[in-house]
Amino acid sequence: MAATILTTEDLDIFKHELFDELKKMFNHPLEKKQEQETPKLLKSHQVQRMLGISPGTLQNLRINGTIPFTKIGGVILYSLEDINAIMQRNKRNDFSNGKK
């Protein structure tokens, strides 16, 4: 069997080809995949941590209809998009209390 000798130049060329392939793989397909991705769903503990609220407060928000949710089996799920929309709708301006 004949031996093949690789030079540092061969390795450098391989490195650049590999890098270009990885760049193509991670730039274009991932961007398209994220656009088509289903909405991100969060579990209760994630929403609690995100909003800084207790389990009881989250339950009250569910009961009074403030936060929409889906229950699959015994797991309650919330759409990240819905949570962000609620946050935007309830956003208040700090200037309303007279401070600047």
Side-chain angles (χ1 to χ4, degrees):
M1 181 163 94
T4 304
I5 299 174
L6 292 175
T7 64
T8 53
E9 185 179 315
D10 293 332
L11 291 173
D12 195 46
I13 290 169
F14 174 74
K15 177 179 75 172
H16 287 289
E17 289 174 355
L18 180 62
F19 181 71
D20 288 341
E21 286 298 314
L22 288 171
K23 200 161 89 173
K24 285 178 195 172
M25 209 167 68
F26 284 107
N27 283 341
H28 301 290
L30 261 185
E31 289 173 9
K32 290 176 185 173
K33 185 178 177 183
Q34 287 174 350
E35 291 170 9
Q36 299 169 355
E37 200 171 285
T38 56
K40 171 93 170 143
L41 297 176
L42 304 171
K43 292 185 176 180
S44 292
H45 69 92
Q46 294 170 309
V47 174
Q48 291 167 30
R49 219 176 299 130
M50 182 179 167
L51 301 178
I53 59 176
S54 69
T57 300
L58 183 57
Q59 182 179 7
N60 286 334
L61 293 171
R62 278 196 313 269
I63 290 168
N64 68 25
T66 302
I67 293 183
F69 66 95
T70 301
K71 188 170 184 178
I72 300 175
V75 180
I76 298 174
L77 300 169
Y78 308 84
S79 165
L80 178 60
E81 189 175 302
D82 287 344
I83 301 296
N84 286 332
I86 291 165
M87 297 279 287
Q88 279 302 115
R89 278 197 310 267
N90 292 296
K91 194 174 188 177
R92 300 289 185 254
N93 187 346
D94 285 342
F95 296 116
S96 62
N97 61 11
K99 295 181 182 176
K100 288 190 178 182

